[in-house]
Amino acid sequence: MSEEKVKVEEIFAKDVFTPAKMRERLPKNVYKRVKKVMEQGGELSLGDADVVAKAMKDWAVENGATHYTHWFQPLTGITAEKHDSFITHPDEDSHMVMEFSGKELIKGEPDASSFPSGGLRATFEARGYTAWDITSPAFLKKTGAGVTLCIPTAFCSYTGEALDKKTPLLRSMEAVSTQALRIVRLFGNQGATKVVASVGPEQEYFLVDKEKYLKRPDLIFSGRTLFGAPAPKGQEMEDHYFGVIRERIGAYMKDLNEELWKLGVTAKTQHNEVAPAQHELAPIYETANIAVDHNQLVMEAMKRVAIHHGMRCLLHEKPFAGVNGSGKHNNWSLGTDNGVNMLDPGDSPEQNIQFLLVLACILKAVDTHADLLRQSASDVGNDHRLGANEAPPAIISVFLGEQLEDVVKQLVETGAADRHIEGGVLDTGVSTLPNLKKDATDRNRTSPFAFTGNKFEFRMVGSADSIASPNTTLNAIVAEAFCEAADVLEQADDFELAVHDLIKEYLTKHQRIIFNGNGYSDEWVAEAQRRGLPNIKSMVEAAETLTTDKAVRLFEKFGIFTKAELESREEIIYETYAKTINIEALTMIDMASKQIIPACMKYDKMLADTVASLQAVGVTAEAELERLKRVAALVDEAQKALLELEKIEAQASAMTDIKAQAFFYKDTVKKVMEDLRTPCDQLEMLVDKKLWPFPTYGDLMFEV
Ligand code: ADP
Ligand code: MG
């Protein structure tokens, strides 16, 4: 291990074209105009863009960059980049001038024909364009390909439809800002000019040894193990969680942190997670769109740094059956640009009433659009987690903590809340509203949407997924609730009375969404059903929620998605799902057919030979015979399932109705995959370890 000291202050944001660097390098008046666009929106003139582009390019080239890219997030869920170099046509003396124009900075035209568009952009109209998201700073990416200037962008079709995850997120941030401003204005905050959604995502991941990884086609092709018997030891000892970080992992985390700090990502906490070989990293929260970009950088860096350390990083939600999977806790709050966190109970009576109204609006939003929120956290891998007793159930509910729940109950029952569970004080200044201890939230790890003091923690999100969708949805549904509340309150004659009535009305109507108990329990599933809360079990079932009348109304009202955009997204979900399961099925066929079954047959033969030679000398060979029979029977079973999977998979991939196909993969193909896995995992427990064709769970998880 190297002894060199890391000076965090020196390396932090070293590879980012920060506003501070802009200020240094831009003429004062240009910088002022750029800053204004960053803060208030609008467009940069082409003249100014030229100046910014030159300054950005000079800085990048000084730092070794040869290329630039518009960095964007297509609907594949990962980021995309197409590198162009700064070089231009050399002059007569073969002098190379590196150039980068304002036009190139602001707008790019990647050949976008192979990105999913869900029918929005016919393939012959390949062009989409990328547009600079001026609020997310450009940065340098240093990889094997050299140094590249990355410009965070949104990605749209020529007719303006969003083809990415960034565009709707930015639209939703604007929507929630506009509506939230109406709320804070009602409470006398005239100084705020915008409300910012802040996000802090906690990212879980697994690390495995590279050599072992490379022996597992399932990890290579699908990011998760498709076969594997449980190791003798799992996570039952609970000795990994927050345990001492092993040397090799520690070195990895150190490099990862440094790399992230250089990129301006505030990697803050790191610890071991519940499962063996599982870890977590959390940055400090920041503006939603930057948090989304940074989370993508975190995921990329996790993978890249792992390679340098002879490991591979698994971001899949369920790399191993039987042990905890990985998720992402999406911490979310709303704050005004003059320093008020709308989710903080606050110190003054106005702030406390405002807090209760905000809370009531959020409960209403989450109850009304529980289906959309659940949808926003779905991806193929997350289907293995949600509802599987390790992550929140697939049912959306809100955890408020004992005291806040009591306040809500009183407000609903009597319209007043004057008794309060012991604790601090939330002074509302009016007798009909309660006093509330400020930090009264206990932790409930089983809740999908928990209030944690001054923010909500949305815990359903999958580890491999972009956090753009969950935050777009959160912003959108809360914008709607704020809008409806403001519509009423702005017209009220007696504001105090009206607020009070509205809080009571919302809480009464939507209290069914509150649940403080054990979200993993079967009783909750039954109780949620009684309450009429949706329990959407899979990604494909969740997809339909995007295009209900309710959803279209919501998203169109705030200009976040058009109906066509929603329809395209639904289609892409089916497509993604079908393709992913298809790859998994084919990988299983490959592994079973070329590796597992042949290995078992070898073992069969070994046993058969042993039995024959023992019996030839008059030994009954009972144990050998018994084992041989068991192995042979399981091989039969595996072979049958393999043939069935081949048949079903062919049937599935020939289907042309994309939605029906996705459902077929979910309901039929996955079942046959299980049928194949079961005998194979049993065989793993019987067959000579030396013959087993790839590393086992024990090898993968306990020897990193
Ligand atoms: P834990 O949930 O593990 O106890 P914390 O609550 O300290 O950890 O923080 C988890 C994440 O929430 C971090 O990324 C943190 O920066 C973020 N966070 C803290 N406060 C807020 C807030 N007001 N809004 C959004 N995110 C926040
Ligand atoms: Mg947390």
Side-chain angles (χ1 to χ4, degrees), residues 179-302:
Q179 302 307 325
L181 262 186
R182 293 175 66 192
I183 300 290
V184 298
R185 288 269 147 75
L186 282 166
F187 288 89
N189 184 343
Q190 302 302 331
T193 65
K194 64 175 174 179
V195 173
V196 180
S198 289
V199 172
E202 303 163 53
Q203 174 76 46
E204 293 180 334
Y205 62 99
F206 279 85
L207 288 172
V208 295
D209 183 78
K210 171 191 154 196
E211 296 307 324
K212 291 172 190 148
Y213 170 95
L214 290 176
K215 290 188 181 129
R216 300 255 348 186
D218 46 3
L219 288 180
I220 293 172
F221 295 123
S222 66
R224 73 175 180 108
T225 55
L226 298 164
F227 296 99
K233 181 179 170 184
Q235 62 198 41
E236 62 277 59
M237 304 296 286
E238 297 183 341
D239 50 359
H240 189 69
Y241 192 50
F242 280 40
V244 177
I245 295 170
R246 273 169 290 177
E247 200 60 20
R248 186 179 189 187
I249 307 297
Y252 167 85
M253 287 176 170
K254 177 175 175 284
D255 274 5
L256 177 62
N257 284 336
E258 280 174 34
E259 202 160 301
L260 290 173
W261 289 334
K262 284 183 198 159
L263 288 167
V265 180
T266 50
K268 167 100 173 146
T269 54
Q270 60 198 28
H271 58 78
N272 289 345
E273 261 301 330
V274 177
Q278 190 185 30
H279 312 279
E280 181 187 291
L281 180 144
I284 296 172
Y285 67 98
E286 51 197 343
T287 308
N289 62 320
I290 299 174
V292 168
D293 286 356
H294 280 172
N295 183 247
Q296 295 289 347
L297 289 182
V298 166
M299 292 195 285
E300 283 177 27
M302 281 179 166

